[in-house]
């Protein structure tokens, strides 16, 4: 794959957390706080470039909308032990918006926003880093669903991706951190639920299958595309339809304009397609493969 001007392979990725056993909603919690919001960069000129880039992009594209997004700020993982053998993951999330994402992660100067560190939250403390999501959907006949992106989309036109998008603060009425602190536990639970609800919503919108055909999502980890340090949470979902039935539903998908074709492929074919995936989705495949390998080991 061609390299960007930065010299970084667009398909390269880093796995921030891997949960090959697959975590259920009861094993994933959220700490939503302004302490996980982006920190302004000390270089005032670089900081001012965020609004300059947004104004320029807005003039060229009047349909741009500055929506709120959840910002990935890190995680804690407890592998279980003692009276509670199950692993538990706590996602640390702040709030950001699309404008800041365009002006930091997608900026031509995005690498200048990074802080030299092996600690991801420190490395990315000045970037927007909205948490995306993706789903590895397995059909009844054991095929995996892959979409080919439209040539009209902004990022990675024509590339192969898993269905996905973003969890949305607006879906649960969050517009800021201005809320009664007594409600913090309740809001954390709502945000955690949105992590799982949103991926079902994205799959239904992008491939057109009914929600009743999808299993509860299993959280399998977080992958970060090295180019633009773009994080995405990945889930594994079983679909009760076979691949031919999924193809039929895809023809009337709500967000079908974002992709040009749906493929239902074997594990071998999927591996061959990863060289034409953005890094975060290639990392999603690595998380899925780790889950499959772990299940094989458990059986033997």
């Amino acid at each position: 794959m061609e390299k960007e001007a930065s010299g970084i392979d667009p398909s390269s990725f880093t796995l921030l957390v891997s949960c090959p056993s697959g975590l259920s909603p009861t094993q994933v919690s959220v700490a939503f706080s302004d302490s996980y919001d982006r920190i302004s960069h000390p270089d005032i000129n670089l900081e001012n470039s965020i609004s300059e880039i947004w104004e320029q992009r807005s003039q060229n594209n009047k349909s741009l909308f500055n929506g709120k997004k959840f910002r990935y700020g890190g995680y804690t993982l407890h592998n279980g032990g003692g009276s509670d053998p199950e692993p538990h993951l706590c996602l640390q999330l702040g709030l950001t918006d699309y404008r800041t994402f365009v002006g930091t992660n997608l900026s031509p100067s995005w690498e200048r926003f990074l802080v030299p560190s092996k600690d991801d939250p420190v490395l990315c403390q000045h970037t927007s880093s909205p948490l995306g999501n993706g789903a590895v959907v397995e059909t009844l006949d054991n095929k995996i669903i892959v979409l080919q992106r439209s040539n009209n989309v902004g990022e990675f036109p024509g590339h192969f991706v898993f269905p996905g998008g973003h969890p949305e603060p607006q879906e649960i009425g969050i517009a800021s951190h201005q809320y009664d602190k007594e409600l913090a536990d309740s809001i954390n639970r709502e945000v955690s639920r949105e992590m799982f609800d949103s991926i079902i919503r994205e799959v239904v919108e992008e491939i057109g299958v009914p929600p009743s055909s999808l299993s509860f999502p299993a959280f399998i980890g977080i992958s970060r595309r090295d180019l633009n340090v773009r994080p995405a949470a990945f889930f594994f979902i079983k679909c009760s339809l076979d691949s031919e039935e999924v193809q039929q539903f895809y023809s009337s998908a709500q967000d079908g304009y974002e992709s040009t074709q749906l493929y239902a492929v074997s594990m071998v074919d999927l591996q061959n397609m990863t060289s034409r995936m953005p890094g975060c989705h290639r990392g999603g495949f690595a998380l899925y493969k780790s889950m499959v390998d772990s299940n094989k080991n458990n059986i033997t």
Side-chain angles (χ1 to χ4, degrees):
M1 179 171 285
E2 293 181 3
K3 292 188 176 182
E4 296 288 309
S6 62
I8 296 177
D9 182 344
S11 68
S12 67
F13 62 89
T14 300
L15 296 184
L16 301 180
V17 58
S18 176
C19 303
S21 62
L23 304 187
S24 69
T26 60
Q27 294 173 274
V28 179
S29 61
V30 165
F32 176 64
S33 167
D34 58 6
S35 60
Y36 303 118
D37 285 1
R38 172 184 173 269
I39 298 171
S40 298
H41 198 282
D43 183 334
I44 190 66
N45 291 325
L46 188 61
E47 192 66 16
N48 287 340
S49 72
I50 297 172
S51 56
E52 292 166 3
I53 289 172
W54 179 254
E55 286 173 16
Q56 185 178 10
R57 289 280 297 271
S58 298
Q59 287 175 359
N60 295 335
N61 184 354
K62 299 298 184 184
S63 66
L64 277 184
F65 173 68
N66 185 26
K68 296 290 184 182
K69 301 293 177 189
F70 290 111
R71 180 180 185 274
Y72 175 72
Y75 71 92
T76 56
L77 178 63
H78 301 284
N79 285 315
S83 60
D84 187 4
E86 287 192 335
H88 288 266
L89 178 90
C90 179
L91 291 172
Q92 298 163 338
L93 301 179
L95 203 58
T96 187
D97 56 33
Y98 188 66
R99 167 187 170 275
T100 312
F101 169 59
V102 169
T104 59
N105 293 80
L106 296 187
S107 165
S109 303
W110 66 274
E111 288 175 291
R112 291 179 58 199
F113 283 97
L114 304 182
V115 176
S117 175
K118 292 184 178 179
D119 183 7
D120 186 76
V122 175
L123 172 75
C124 301
Q125 64 184 10
H126 300 308
T127 63
S128 171
S129 299
L131 182 64
N133 60 21
V136 180
V137 180
E138 187 179 278
T139 63
L140 186 63
D141 50 341
N142 298 314
K143 297 290 173 53
I144 301 299
I145 300 302
V146 179
L147 300 173
Q148 184 162 24
R149 285 172 66 80
S150 163
N151 288 321
N152 299 320
V153 294
E155 288 188 272
F156 291 92
H159 283 64
F160 297 124
V161 293
F162 297 110
H166 296 85
E168 300 289 356
Q170 66 186 32
E171 286 287 332
I172 51 175
I174 291 178
S176 71
H177 288 291
Q178 302 301 314
Y179 54 84
D180 189 335
K181 298 307 176 187
E182 292 180 0
L183 298 175
D185 287 347
S186 173
I187 288 173
N188 284 340
R189 285 193 294 272
E190 285 189 46
V191 176
S192 179
R193 192 179 306 118
E194 170 62 8
M195 294 297 116
F196 287 84
D197 289 350
S198 62
I199 193 58
I200 292 290
R201 199 166 59 238
E202 294 287 359
V203 169
V204 169
E205 290 175 358
E206 292 197 359
I207 67 178
V209 296
S212 59
S213 70
L214 302 173
S215 69
F216 282 117
F219 175 90
I220 56 174
I222 299 175
S223 163
R224 189 192 67 209
R225 188 175 80 214
D226 292 338
L227 179 70
N228 310 121
V229 288
R230 185 91 157 86
F234 278 86
F235 298 81
F236 174 70
I237 299 176
K238 289 280 287 184
C239 180
S240 61
L241 304 172
D242 65 32
S243 51
E244 286 190 13
E245 291 172 311
V246 172
Q247 283 282 8
Q248 291 169 357
F249 278 108
Y250 174 68
S251 62
S252 56
Q254 179 180 332
D255 284 352
Y257 62 89
E258 293 185 1
S259 59
T260 56
Q261 195 162 347
L262 179 147
Y263 297 89
V265 299
S266 67
M267 180 69 145
V268 173
D269 290 336
L270 178 59
Q271 187 147 12
N272 292 333
M273 297 168 88
T274 59
S275 62
R276 288 198 59 208
M277 283 184 166
C280 43
H281 286 259
R282 196 176 182 187
F285 169 75
L287 291 167
Y288 168 63
K289 190 171 186 304
S290 178
M291 183 198 79
V292 171
D293 292 344
S294 175
N295 288 342
K296 285 179 182 175
N297 292 334
N298 289 339
I299 291 172
T300 56

